[in-house]
Amino acid sequence: MWQSSRPGSIYDYIRVASFSLGPDGRIDQWSERAEDMLGIPARYALGKDPVEAFVPRELRATGRRKVSEILDGREWTGLVPYRRGEDADADGLAEIYVMPSRDENGERAAVCLVVDVRALRGIETDLAASQAVFGQSPMGFTLFGTDLRLLRVNERFATVFGGPASKYRGCGPHDFLPRSEAERMTVALRRVLDTGEPVTEMQLVGLAPGEEDRRRWSVSLYRLHGASGRPIGVAALAADVTGRRRAEREAANARRNLALLNEAGARIGNSLDLETTARTLLDVAVPQFCDLASVDLYQGLLAGDEAPPGMSDGSAELRRVAFASAVSDAPLATAPGVPGDAPGPVAVGAVHRYPFNSPCAGALRTAHAQIIPGRDSDDGPELGAVVHSTLAVPMVARDTVVGLVQFSRTKGSEPFGERDTALAVELAARAAVCIDNARLYRREHERALILQRSLLPPGDPEAAGLDIACRYLPGTTATEVGGDWFDVIELPGHRTALVVGDVMGRGLRAAVAMGELRTAVRTLALLDLEPAEVLSALDEIARGLGGDGDGRSSTARSARSRSGAGEGAGEARRSAATADLSEVYLATCVYAVYDPVTRRATFANAGHLPPALVEDGEDALLLDVPPGMPLGVGGEPFEEIEVELPDGALLALYTDGLVESRHHPLEEGLQAFRTALSRADRPLEDACDQVLSAMDTSHGEDDIALLMARVHGLPKDAVGDWSLAPEARSVARARELARDQLTDWGLQELVDTTELLVSELVTNALRHGHGEIRLRLLLDRTLVCEVWDADLAQPRRRRARDTDEGGRGLQLVGLLSQGWGSRRTPRGKTVWFELALPDGESAAIDPAEALLSLF
């Protein structure tokens, strides 16, 4: 079929021209292409001898001989230099193909085809380059025609997909790629062919012949054009990037793992709570590392046992403390437990065991991580069918297994590998150390709390004539122990000692020092000393506690060390070691004794902030109690003052943590405290909370102790007070007064016992004392009887022999009373006993039987 070829054929590339020679050897035809290519117009060529016209003079003899041979009927091909124009030098080189011919008369002639050597050499170079690309390129090189069929492929492409390169000529993408990838490739080829826009680094995935692993190729496409610019096909350049992709994935995994470890280091261990630490571990791991995870800790560890938490065979009880899932809210389905245990999921908080032969028990037993593959069958599955891979990682801290963490991946995620196992072990190890630290902290914290609580009074202390409310806030919630203390001490005669103190420093050492001082205060208070005497004795005790054990204070010993009087280096080191201990035992304290009968309180202060007093309808004021020096300093006496406290008055004793902070001066804090007290006109417990809420108690700089007491005193009808003459008949009078008073109070059950004990104390006052005798009965939560005389000698209980007629009076008092004792007064002494009020359940001791029991 005849048709016109499109521009851009091979002849356009090689630039072919033609002319012809007549029988006389002269040019008789000259094509326009020859005119254009050789630059010689036809008027200069026609009728000319080509040798004379175009060949240089020195080559003309050879030229004439070749023309003669051609006219004799021989074909010739060769290179011919030529010059442009009649007088031009040779400036070109042409390859001429001469074909003998005959004219219409049968005479010899010739047709000549001329090719520009430069264009020909360019084509040869392009062909060589194209061949080099196809034959030597390390990447797959293909040419697609406009019908999207392969025109040519190089050997690299054929090597990857198998067979010779010629096998793929005429094939389409579906012949060597999976269906989905072939469709993507076809769409891309069509788009490049239609639009001319190249496609770079399109990712294709498939299987190479004879290989099981999927491979990945990066393909770039661009359109090819002919000499006229028309599209003639699409070139594809493909590189195998499977290794690079794998390396990129491993690098991404490494970056992810490093980021995960960095996040774990930043988040895990911020809390000293076991459960919080376990939950934080799972928050880090899910879903960045796995799809489901759980943490089991040994039950013994959670219970605070001192022994190592786990049994050597890994079968000890564990508790599920945390669970996290990115795919469902249901917990992991574990293997059936030991006989008697119900199989199925383990809920958070449940206590369970792993069977001895299970992988989890093996991980606990060997302290090595184990990968547990999922199973699709229901025949004893370790994991549900949705989970295809699980890592059971023991949590090891300080060579002790504290629990087990399980990381699970569901179907669709990559199974765990060695790199994942190493990361899981590292995560579990970090969490294990933090959990063990939390366990140790919890143990020490509980011990410190036991110590702190044992050194503070009960939550609701009671006192005659006083309503008491108290609060203690530690300076830091990390320890919840400190050196502030308060105490409410019952004294004879229904009197009450109120104490608030502050040991310098915080933490466990301050709490220990506080406990020692508090014990000393209670001991001194029970001796019924005056407040100033209590603080003086306490000061001596504090200085003794700050010494080095040989009776010398560390301060004095340090001074002698500085004098250089023969003290060695060891002595200096011991001095430095005890310097801190000496500082801890410096303390401030305020001590008050309240008498509900007289409604008066006596205060003494050792460097502490003054007490605050709020009378009904008045603003709060700070009592002007001489401050004195802190305990442990020594060298200065303590003073005391006596203040009358009317009924309804509010007394507040506190430590400096309540009013002092770096954010405001002390005076500002004291003013705020006075303002808060002035508005505390509600029930005492509510008033205590109101004061704390009004003050800045969250600064965390110091401990806070607050002791508030509302005064109501003893009613007049609850006190019986009489003076007796120092004569024998006063004994009978005392019995009569006691009997009548108890009858008025409705305490007939205590009449006989009270008469007997009052008679004994008054008799002793007459026999061993002198001066006027005073008898006083006080009724509150108990019945107290006091006998006063002017003698300073304290009664002493002794054991009488069987033959003695006397000496059993105080034994009888101790046997029949709830308690008894004596104390000094400004003008003598007071001997007292206390009886419990009848409760209707327990019977009182029979005085006759008690008396007979002494013999």
Side-chain angles (χ1 to χ4, degrees):
M1 182 177 64
W2 292 82
Q3 65 178 10
S4 300
S5 298
R6 294 179 179 180
S9 67
I10 187 63
Y11 300 104
D12 295 324
Y13 282 103
I14 61 177
R15 302 183 66 188
V16 178
S18 64
F19 66 90
S20 63
L21 299 178
D24 57 357
R26 295 183 178 271
I27 300 174
D28 60 358
Q29 293 188 42
W30 188 261
S31 67
E32 293 182 357
R33 176 68 66 88
E35 181 177 341
D36 179 67
M37 186 178 71
L38 300 177
I40 302 175
R43 65 178 180 273
Y44 293 118
L46 291 175
K48 295 286 185 72
D49 182 357
V51 176
E52 294 290 338
F54 307 121
V55 178
R57 187 178 303 276
E58 63 273 12
L59 299 177
R60 288 176 182 176
T62 304
R64 289 190 183 93
R65 187 170 54 253
K66 292 297 183 185
V67 170
S68 299
E69 292 177 356
I70 293 170
L71 293 178
D72 290 339
R74 294 182 59 183
E75 292 185 358
W76 180 79
T77 301
L79 297 177
V80 177
Y82 67 94
R83 60 178 180 270
R84 296 178 183 273
E86 187 174 12
D87 299 325
D89 296 332
D91 59 354
L93 184 66
E95 184 173 31
I96 299 179
Y97 177 42
V98 181
M99 297 175 289
S101 64
R102 293 182 182 274
D103 61 6
E104 66 275 9
N105 299 320
E107 296 182 6
R108 293 281 185 182
V111 176
C112 302
L113 296 180
V114 182
V115 178
D116 189 349
V117 173
R118 290 174 296 179
L120 191 62
R121 295 292 181 265
I123 293 175
E124 291 177 350
T125 302
D126 291 343
L127 289 175
S130 173
Q131 185 63 31
V133 169
F134 267 79
Q136 303 174 20
S137 174
M139 296 183 292
F141 207 144
T142 63
L143 292 179
F144 288 90
T146 55
D147 58 353
L148 305 186
R149 294 286 178 176
L150 286 172
L151 299 176
R152 187 177 180 183
V153 301
N154 67 348
E155 292 298 328
R156 175 59 180 167
F157 180 91
T159 301
V160 171
F161 289 97
S166 59
K167 169 185 174 182
Y168 295 97
R169 292 176 184 170
C171 296
H174 289 80
D175 296 319
F176 55 88
L177 287 176
R179 179 177 180 181
S180 59
E181 298 296 88
E183 291 177 353
R184 290 179 58 227
M185 183 71 170
T186 301
V187 171
L189 287 169
R190 178 61 61 188
R191 184 170 65 251
V192 171
L193 191 61
D194 293 342
T195 66
E197 296 180 359
V199 172
T200 59
E201 297 185 355
M202 181 177 69
Q203 302 292 312
L204 297 176
V205 179
L207 291 175
E211 297 185 8
E212 297 181 357
D213 295 335
R214 295 165 64 87
R215 305 191 69 82
R216 183 180 295 268
W217 296 278
S218 175
V219 179
S220 297
L221 306 175
Y222 58 95
R223 190 169 68 181
L224 296 178
H225 300 84
S228 62
R230 66 181 179 86
I232 62 173
V234 178
L237 201 61
D240 189 340
V241 294
T242 305
R244 186 178 71 186
R245 181 67 176 177
R246 185 182 300 112
E248 290 175 352
R249 186 168 59 250
E250 291 181 356
N253 290 337
R255 287 192 298 268
R256 182 201 65 183
N257 294 349
L258 289 176
L260 199 63
L261 287 177
N262 184 57
E263 183 181 2
R267 296 179 58 184
I268 298 176
N270 291 334
S271 171
L272 288 174
D273 181 74
L274 294 172
E275 290 79 4
T276 301
T277 302
R279 287 193 297 270
T280 305
L281 168 63
L282 301 192
D283 291 341
V284 171
V286 178
Q288 294 90 336
F289 177 68
C290 61
D291 301 314
L292 303 99
S294 64
V295 176
D296 298 322
L297 298 179
Y298 277 117
Q299 180 70 1
L301 178 144
L302 297 172
D305 296 344
E306 295 294 334
M311 299 175 64
S312 59
D313 60 359
S315 63
E317 288 186 340
L318 298 106
R319 184 192 302 173
R320 178 68 49 84
V321 296
F323 169 78
S325 172
V327 294
S328 73
D329 295 331
L332 287 170
T334 59
V338 296
D341 288 351
V346 178
V348 175
V351 178
H352 64 101
R353 298 173 184 267
Y354 288 111
F356 178 81
N357 293 325
S358 66
C360 293
L364 290 169
R365 185 167 55 250
T366 61
H368 287 89
Q370 296 197 19
I371 298 180
I372 311 172
R375 300 179 184 176
D376 293 334
S377 68
D378 295 330
D379 185 14
E382 271 98 357
L383 301 168
V386 70
V387 176
H388 74 84
S389 182
T390 293
L391 270 174
V393 185
M395 307 178 74
V396 184
R398 301 177 179 90
D399 297 329
T400 301
V401 178
V402 299
L404 182 76
V405 57
Q406 297 184 62
F407 304 103
S408 299
R409 288 179 179 172
T410 57
K411 292 182 178 179
S413 301
E414 293 185 2
F416 290 111
E418 294 183 1
R419 193 184 299 275
D420 295 321
T421 303
L423 176 61
V425 170
E426 179 66 21
L427 288 175
R430 294 193 180 196
V433 172
C434 296
I435 286 176
D436 195 53
N437 289 339
R439 175 184 69 88
L440 296 176
Y441 163 76
R442 175 181 290 184
R443 184 184 68 185
E444 298 302 321
H445 181 60
E446 290 176 351
R447 291 176 179 176
L449 285 181
I450 292 173
L451 172 63
Q452 182 80 46
R453 292 166 183 166
S454 67
L455 296 178
L456 294 176
D460 298 316
E462 297 181 352
L466 295 173
D467 293 331
I468 303 293
C470 49
R471 297 290 186 273
Y472 174 80
L473 300 177
T476 170
T477 57
T479 59
E480 294 191 12
V481 294
D484 289 14
W485 91 92
F486 60 89
D487 210 346
V488 179
I489 307 170
E490 295 186 69
L491 299 178
H494 285 316
R495 295 171 303 131
T496 303
L498 303 176
V499 189
V500 169
D502 183 2
V503 176
M504 294 184 183
R506 288 188 297 177
L508 189 58
R509 295 185 66 196
V512 171
M514 175 268 287
E516 293 176 316
L517 293 179
R518 176 179 178 270
T519 302
V521 170
R522 295 188 68 88
T523 303
L524 294 171
L526 294 177
L527 294 177
D528 216 345
L529 302 176
E530 295 297 325
E533 294 177 328
V534 171
L535 293 186
S536 295
L538 192 63
D539 179 56
E540 293 292 335
I541 293 173
R543 284 191 290 165
L545 292 175
D548 57 3
D550 59 0
R552 300 177 297 169
S553 70
S554 61
T555 303
R557 183 167 55 79
S558 297
R560 286 193 294 272
S561 296
R562 288 192 298 268
S563 68
E567 296 287 348
E571 183 69 14
R573 285 193 297 270
R574 289 192 297 271
S575 175
T578 57
D580 292 340
L581 184 61
S582 176
E583 183 181 358
V584 167
Y585 285 106
L586 291 177
T588 62
C589 178
V590 62
Y591 184 90
V593 175
Y594 171 69
D595 189 338
V597 178
T598 64
R599 291 171 172 76
R600 300 184 70 83
T602 304
F603 295 88
N605 192 354
H608 203 80
L609 294 173
L613 179 65
V614 185
E615 297 187 16
D616 191 18
E618 301 290 338
D619 292 336
L621 58 90
L622 300 179
L623 297 178
D624 189 13
V625 181
M629 298 297 292
L631 301 176
V633 175
E636 294 292 333
F638 296 98
E639 302 180 34
E640 61 185 38
I641 64 169
E642 192 174 54
V643 179
E644 184 174 353
L645 305 180
D647 285 352
L650 183 64
L651 179 66
L653 285 73
Y654 53 96
T655 57
D656 57 359
L658 182 63
V659 296
E660 189 174 19
S661 171
R662 67 167 63 99
H663 303 297
H664 56 74
L666 177 60
E667 292 299 328
E668 184 179 329
L670 287 173
Q671 182 58 43
F673 179 53
R674 292 174 57 192
T675 302
L677 282 176
S678 300
R679 300 172 181 172
D681 53 353
R682 55 183 65 186
L684 193 59
E685 290 290 339
D686 295 339
C688 198
D689 293 333
Q690 178 185 347
V691 170
L692 289 179
S693 63
M695 303 297 293
D696 179 18
T697 59
S698 59
H699 51 73
E701 298 172 12
D702 199 0
D703 308 320
I704 295 174
L706 175 63
L707 176 62
M708 296 176 63
R710 180 159 283 144
V711 179
H712 53 74
L714 285 182
K716 291 184 178 180
D717 57 3
V719 180
D721 195 350
W722 307 275
S723 295
L724 303 174
E727 54 188 18
R729 61 181 180 178
S730 294
V731 176
R733 176 62 179 162
R735 288 197 299 268
E736 180 183 357
L737 293 171
R739 183 190 316 113
D740 293 342
Q741 185 64 68
L742 263 62
T743 301
D744 293 342
W745 287 340
L747 299 176
Q748 290 83 357
E749 297 181 23
L750 300 180
V751 169
D752 292 341
T753 302
T754 304
E755 281 191 43
L756 177 59
L757 299 185
V758 165
S759 176
E760 178 61 34
L761 294 187
V762 173
T763 299
N764 286 344
L766 289 172
R767 181 177 299 175
H768 303 291
H770 60 273
E772 186 180 48
I773 299 173
R774 183 181 175 189
L775 172 65
R776 188 166 74 167
L777 295 178
L778 307 175
L779 178 63
D780 192 68
R781 291 176 290 113
T782 61
L783 175 66
V784 173
C785 175
E786 297 177 332
V787 175
W788 307 46
D789 63 59
D791 189 65
L792 295 176
Q794 298 294 312
R796 182 173 60 87
R797 183 176 177 180
R798 64 184 181 86
R799 183 175 298 278
R801 294 188 295 269
D802 294 342
T803 57
D804 292 342
E805 295 181 1
R808 297 180 178 84
L810 292 181
Q811 292 187 47
L812 183 64
V813 173
L815 185 62
L816 293 177
S817 66
Q818 185 177 354
W820 76 279
S822 66
R823 69 178 186 274
R824 292 181 298 168
T825 63
R827 293 185 298 272
K829 69 175 183 296
T830 299
V831 183
W832 58 272
F833 67 84
E834 185 176 10
L835 295 177
L837 300 181
D839 56 7
E841 297 180 1
S842 58
I845 300 176
D846 187 357
E849 294 182 0
L851 184 60
L852 292 175
S853 68
L854 298 177
F855 296 92

